[in-house]
Every structure is written in structure tokens, then in C-alpha cells.
Amino acid sequence: MVYNQEFKHKRNNRRKFIYKSLLILLMAFFIGGGVYLFYYTNFFIWQNIKITGLKNINENDLGINNNKYYIFQLPKIENIAFDSVIFHKNYLNRVLEIEIVEKKLYGIWCNLEMREITLDLDEDEIINSQLEFNINSTSTNDKISVESKIIPQSKVIYNESCFWYDSTGLLFLEAPNSRGQLIPTILNFGNESKKIGQNILEKYEFNILFQIIKILEEAKISVEHLEFESQQSKEIKVVTQQDVNIYFSLRFQPQFIKEPLDIFNKLIPMPKKIDFRSEGKVFYK
């Protein structure tokens, strides 16, 4: 009896030893295999990263395809031009799809910095430089000596830096210098230059500007560009493709301008200057 109990005890201990040994071997196998796969293979790396939705940003500028990413990490994508970034993960095939939604290109804001330069005749043939000639001649056979002196003339030019803004007035992307009806372009004269990450106007003022642009579109006014000359005056000038100047204030709601604009738009010729800067009133000539 005692012998049987001792035998069973030894047998149980032997089984426990075998089980523990197998467990340790399995753990070592998995750990070793995992270490091997992690350090010596691409098993834990995204094999394919697809980026969709890009229209105005170059994919290479994101720098994603130049790096390797493990399946337990995601690329860090931060860009003010993006509304949202969504990751779709396929672990089985190790494919990561990045869906990007860009901000809508609503309009262009151009900072115009005035600079005065001096030009001579060689640099700008359009300028009528004054030439002083001293001609000395002793006979008809003598050579005529001509001394020319270019009197410099100044010219004012504007350095332009343009950016796209969204429907909230936030600048988020460099833009071309463009004019025309399809793109609301605002020229910023004599004000503090705005840069990416800044709003072109206060929220209340931009909402009014947004309404003005919409009313002009509904009235089928062909806009060439808009001019913002003074931050203090809170006024904006619209220049049409027919060379008509229309003035607005950003201090009050512009609903009252709808009816007068419809009337003016039917006039031939249309007044060259229309002023809506007094609430509820319109002046023209």
C-alpha cells in the first residue's frame, strides 16, 4: 500500500516535470520565433501603405513611404490642410489604408507688401527715362561723342504671398496668384500679413463676408477680386470684371443689398461705383 502511494507520487511528479518542460519549450519556441520574426523578417511590418483622398498635397511630402511602420503603430499625420485622417487596418494581409479628407478650397487671400524700387532704361523699357546728351563736333568728319546719363525713376511694386482659406477663413495652404469669378480672391493692402494657421478676419466679420460673396454669386455679379485696405475701417471693396467698384462694410448684416444689386445688374451701363457702407442705404454714380 505504501509502495503504491509512493509510486503514484513519483509518477505525478514526473508528469508535472514533463508538462513544465514542454511548457517552457513551447514558450521558448514562441518567444524565440517572435524575436526572430521581429528582428530578422518583415512579418510585423505593414507591407503596403495606401494613401487616398489627396488632391492638393503631394504624397511624398508626408514622408510616410520613406519609413517602416510596425503593425502595432500608426504613422503620425498632422497637417492643417486636412479635415480628417482615418486608418483602415488589414492585419491579415498587413495592409494599412490611410483615408485623408482635405479642407475645401474656398478662396484665396493674398498679402500685398508695397516696395519701391529704382529702375533704369535697361531694366524697364516702359519707363521713359530722360537722357542728357552732350554732343561735341568740330567738323562734319569728326566723330560725334555722345554722353548719356540715365536718370533713375522709382516704381512701386507689390510682393505677393497667397494662401488658400477654408469656409471658416482659416489659411491652410499656399496658393497661386489667381483672379477670376470662380475663386473669391481677396487682396490684403496695407494690413498685417497673414500666414498659414491664422484666420483672415474675426469670425463675425468673416460670416458677413461669406454672405456678401454668396449674394454676389446669386446676383450673377462677375467678380474679378476683392480688396481689403484697412483693418480698422472694416470695409471691403469688390472689383467686378466690368470694372465696377462695389463697397461693403463688415460691421452689419448685408441682406438689404440683394434688391439693389438685382436692379443695378440690369442697368446698361451699370454704375461705376456702388456704395453699401451705410446700413440700409445705397449710393451710386
Side-chain angles (χ1 to χ4, degrees), residues 180-196:
Q181 185 178 2
L182 298 178
I183 304 174
T185 301
I186 304 173
L187 306 182
N188 177 32
F189 290 93
N191 296 286
E192 180 184 355
S193 295
K194 302 288 185 177
K195 57 185 179 180
I196 290 178

Side-chain angles (χ1 to χ4, degrees), residues 153-256:
Q153 296 192 16
S154 63
K155 180 180 180 181
V156 174
I157 65 172
Y158 289 93
N159 293 330
E160 295 191 14
S161 55
C162 300
F163 306 95
W164 288 102
Y165 61 88
D166 64 6
S167 58
T168 67
L170 178 69
L171 299 176
F172 64 92
L173 185 67
E174 289 188 6
N177 181 357
S178 178
R179 309 282 192 276
Q181 185 178 2
L182 298 178
I183 304 174
T185 301
I186 304 173
L187 306 182
N188 177 32
F189 290 93
N191 296 286
E192 180 184 355
S193 295
K194 302 288 185 177
K195 57 185 179 180
I196 290 178
Q198 292 182 317
N199 286 82
I200 61 176
L201 295 168
E202 298 294 334
K203 184 177 180 181
Y204 177 77
E205 297 168 353
F206 184 79
N207 287 337
I208 294 175
L209 176 62
F210 192 96
Q211 295 177 57
I212 291 173
I213 294 174
K214 186 176 180 181
I215 292 172
L216 290 170
E217 291 175 351
E218 292 173 351
K220 297 182 180 180
I221 303 292
S222 301
V223 176
E224 176 67 20
H225 63 268
L226 299 87
E227 296 181 6
F228 188 59
E229 296 185 356
S230 174
Q231 186 74 38
Q232 288 73 29
S233 65
K234 309 295 183 184
E235 295 173 356
I236 197 160
K237 180 174 76 173
V238 173
V239 180
T240 72
Q241 293 183 349
Q242 291 75 33
D243 200 27
V244 176
N245 295 330
I246 311 176
Y247 297 85
F248 299 95
S249 174
L250 301 178
R251 291 188 174 92
F252 46 80
Q253 297 297 320
Q255 280 75 16
F256 75 95

Side-chain angles (χ1 to χ4, degrees), residues 95-112:
V95 175
L96 176 65
E97 181 179 343
I98 305 174
E99 180 184 352
I100 295 176
V101 179
E102 294 184 350
K103 290 182 182 295
K104 183 180 177 181
L105 305 177
Y106 183 76
I108 295 176
W109 172 276
C110 288
N111 299 309
L112 277 75

Side-chain angles (χ1 to χ4, degrees), residues 70-81:
Y70 292 101
I71 59 176
F72 46 79
Q73 67 175 163
L74 297 174
K76 188 176 182 181
I77 301 177
E78 294 180 355
N79 194 309
I80 196 172

Side-chain angles (χ1 to χ4, degrees), residues 29-165:
F29 174 79
F30 284 113
I31 292 174
V35 170
Y36 177 80
L37 292 174
F38 185 84
Y39 286 103
Y40 300 102
T41 71
N42 294 326
F43 186 80
F44 290 107
I45 294 176
W46 294 113
Q47 297 302 298
N48 190 8
I49 298 179
K50 300 178 181 178
I51 302 175
T52 61
L54 289 181
K55 298 177 182 178
N56 305 297
I57 303 294
N58 192 317
E59 182 176 325
N60 294 329
D61 294 339
L62 300 179
I64 293 176
N65 294 326
N66 298 329
N67 300 305
K68 291 183 178 181
Y69 296 92
Y70 292 101
I71 59 176
F72 46 79
Q73 67 175 163
L74 297 174
K76 188 176 182 181
I77 301 177
E78 294 180 355
N79 194 309
I80 196 172
F82 299 158
D83 259 342
S84 63
V85 179
I86 304 172
F87 295 95
H88 303 282
K89 293 163 279 190
N90 184 338
Y91 290 109
L92 182 62
N93 296 315
R94 287 169 290 168
V95 175
L96 176 65
E97 181 179 343
I98 305 174
E99 180 184 352
I100 295 176
V101 179
E102 294 184 350
K103 290 182 182 295
K104 183 180 177 181
L105 305 177
Y106 183 76
I108 295 176
W109 172 276
C110 288
N111 299 309
L112 277 75
E113 298 179 1
M114 187 177 68
R115 187 164 65 93
E116 186 173 339
I117 62 173
T118 301
L119 301 177
D120 57 32
L121 185 63
D122 293 332
E123 293 174 331
D124 192 350
E125 295 180 356
I126 298 176
I127 294 179
N128 295 320
S129 300
Q130 300 177 8
L131 300 179
E132 297 179 354
F133 297 97
N134 295 323
I135 304 177
N136 299 318
S137 176
T138 56
S139 67
T140 56
N141 296 325
D142 292 339
K143 293 182 179 179
I144 298 176
S145 63
V146 179
E147 295 179 1
S148 64
K149 181 181 180 183
I150 297 177
I151 300 178
Q153 296 192 16
S154 63
K155 180 180 180 181
V156 174
I157 65 172
Y158 289 93
N159 293 330
E160 295 191 14
S161 55
C162 300
F163 306 95
W164 288 102
Y165 61 88

Side-chain angles (χ1 to χ4, degrees), residues 215 252-261 275-282:
I215 292 172
F252 46 80
Q253 297 297 320
Q255 280 75 16
F256 75 95
I257 72 175
K258 293 181 180 180
E259 186 175 348
L261 276 178
D275 194 335
F276 290 104
R277 288 177 290 186
S278 298
E279 188 172 7
K281 299 178 181 179
V282 56

